[in-house]
Amino acid sequence: MKKNILVIYYSQTGQLEDIVKNIAKPFEAKKEAYDITYYNIQLKEDFPFPWPGDVFFNTFPESYLQIPKEILPPSEKILNKKYDLILFGYQVWYLTPSIPIISFLKSEYASRILKGTPVVTISGTRNMWMLSQEKLKVYLRDLQAKLVGNIALVDRHDNYTSVLTILRWLTTGQKEKSGMLPAAGVSDEEITGSVKYGEIIERHFNNNDLNNLQPDLVKNGAIEIRPFLVRVEKVGNKIFTVWSNLIIKKKEKRPLLIKFFKVYLMAAIWIISPVVLVLHLLTTPIFWFKRQKQKRYLQGINLK
């Protein structure tokens, strides 16, 4: 009897769709063994792409506070089928799983689809995904899904270059290299090469050995932890908590506060972030063992 595989994702630019479909290729190659279904999450009122700048920043408070929007229902075929494995692709918006992903997870459909099912999470991001994954772990736990693996593909360029290229991509639609700036996002080579992770997942799944999947994925480069960026994420979450709650509560001042937030965010990236980097480097000898322990935890799938 064929095993049922569901691939869930939301992709504005098409990058994440390419990633999850490449990872699913080893399952597609064995159609006699697997029945594969793709579920592209769709909002009733979707976000524009490319993003107008004001819309992009105006999305911040709802993104960070995980306020859902209405999604279009999955097909009855998806809702009425029991899956043996789910590949769950997601993006990160403002250090949090994107609004479309949160909207699905908070919908009435999520439990019906995810409950009791092994899940491999797959993210395609600029570079900061670690604490967003921690938030996603909580949702999966509460929905009684079984997280068995995680893959995080990122832009390999330095933090500041990737800020410029991602803003160019999101606001103009241009991903390709231009001038002195490289192409944005996860490299084409890495996206194409992600099929190797699908081969690892399929092998463990076929051998009923999902308990040992994540160490194998980590060994093969599926997870890169940059301790400096973990520190930036922790600081960012504290700051975003203050800003998001302020903007939501002060509705009458929202347009003005969004403008202030935009200025603050750019200043944080270009001024505060380098200071955090220097402090991180200076304290490396002191916190070496603590950071190594943290790295091992973030490479794993367990929830503290």
Side-chain angles (χ1 to χ4, degrees):
M1 182 180 292
K2 287 186 177 182
K3 296 292 182 69
N4 295 321
I5 312 296
L6 179 64
V7 182
I8 300 175
Y9 66 96
Y10 171 85
S11 182
Q12 275 187 305
T13 66
Q15 174 178 267
L16 189 61
E17 182 176 25
D18 288 342
I19 290 171
V20 296
K21 288 188 174 180
N22 270 281
I23 291 174
K25 279 184 177 180
F27 293 94
E28 291 278 11
K30 297 183 178 181
K31 288 190 179 293
E32 73 285 354
Y34 304 112
D35 183 9
I36 304 171
T37 303
Y38 292 88
Y39 169 38
N40 179 12
I41 296 168
Q42 293 181 296
L43 295 175
K44 189 172 182 180
E45 295 181 7
D46 206 354
F47 293 97
F49 184 80
W51 289 82
D54 57 339
V55 177
F56 176 73
F57 288 100
N58 197 46
T59 305
F60 157 68
E62 285 77 13
S63 292
Y64 185 74
L65 294 174
Q66 302 166 50
I67 299 173
K69 296 184 68 174
E70 186 176 353
I71 66 171
L72 296 178
S75 68
E76 288 299 317
K77 177 184 175 182
I78 290 175
L79 289 173
N80 292 327
K81 184 181 288 188
K82 176 59 181 174
Y83 292 95
D84 300 289
L85 178 68
I86 293 176
L87 305 181
F88 191 100
Y90 76 101
Q91 301 165 312
V92 175
W93 294 2
Y94 293 106
L95 306 181
T96 303
S98 70
I99 288 178
I101 293 298
I102 291 298
S103 299
F104 165 71
L105 292 170
K106 288 189 172 184
S107 74
E108 61 184 288
Y109 315 112
S111 179
R112 289 178 63 181
I113 293 173
L114 296 172
K115 186 176 180 180
T117 306
V119 175
V120 177
T121 49
I122 303 164
S123 58
T125 65
R126 184 173 74 86
N127 58 17
M128 284 186 269
W129 59 268
M130 285 77 74
L131 300 189
S132 177
Q133 177 70 8
E134 292 301 293
K135 297 172 187 178
L136 184 55
K137 285 180 184 179
V138 174
Y139 279 102
L140 293 176
R141 179 201 64 194
D142 292 347
L143 290 165
Q144 299 179 52
K146 302 174 183 177
L147 181 60
V148 297
N150 180 44
I151 299 165
L153 301 187
V154 300
D155 186 332
R156 302 291 179 180
H157 294 99
D158 67 83
N159 192 39
Y160 308 108
T161 298
S162 64
V163 167
L164 296 174
T165 57
I166 197 69
L167 286 175
R168 179 193 62 189
W169 188 14
L170 293 179
T171 58
T172 70
Q174 182 183 347
K175 181 180 181 180
E176 299 77 18
K177 176 181 178 181
S178 65
M180 296 181 65
L181 291 177
V186 180
S187 71
D188 291 341
E189 293 77 14
E190 193 155 355
I191 292 174
T192 302
S194 65
V195 68
K196 70 179 181 181
Y197 302 128
E199 292 169 350
I200 293 169
I201 296 167
E202 193 280 328
R203 184 172 66 251
H204 280 266
F205 180 68
N206 187 49
N207 293 334
N208 294 312
D209 187 32
L210 289 176
N211 287 336
N212 294 309
L213 170 61
Q214 188 61 16
D216 205 359
L217 288 172
V218 171
K219 184 174 67 175
N220 284 276
I223 299 289
E224 179 191 17
I225 303 297
R226 306 182 199 179
F228 159 61
L229 292 178
V230 178
R231 180 60 184 164
V232 172
E233 282 197 59
K234 288 183 176 181
V235 173
N237 271 275
K238 292 178 181 178
I239 294 169
F240 282 6
T241 297
V242 174
W243 273 103
S244 59
N245 281 295
L246 177 64
I247 294 169
I248 287 292
K249 291 175 182 177
K250 302 288 186 179
K251 293 181 180 179
E252 72 285 357
K253 296 182 179 179
R254 178 172 179 134
L256 180 62
L257 290 172
I258 290 291
K259 289 180 180 178
F260 284 152
F261 169 72
K262 179 179 178 180
V263 173
Y264 177 84
L265 183 60
M266 292 299 103
I269 291 171
W270 298 104
I271 300 173
I272 300 175
S273 183
V275 173
V276 174
L277 175 58
V278 171
L279 292 174
H280 173 82
L281 293 174
L282 289 175
T283 57
T284 293
I286 301 172
F287 297 110
W288 173 261
F289 292 105
K290 181 179 179 180
R291 288 172 183 169
Q292 290 304 305
K293 182 179 179 181
Q294 179 186 62
K295 178 180 178 180
R296 289 191 296 271
Y297 167 73
L298 292 172
Q299 285 177 326
I301 54 174
N302 295 323
L303 183 64
K304 287 182 179 178

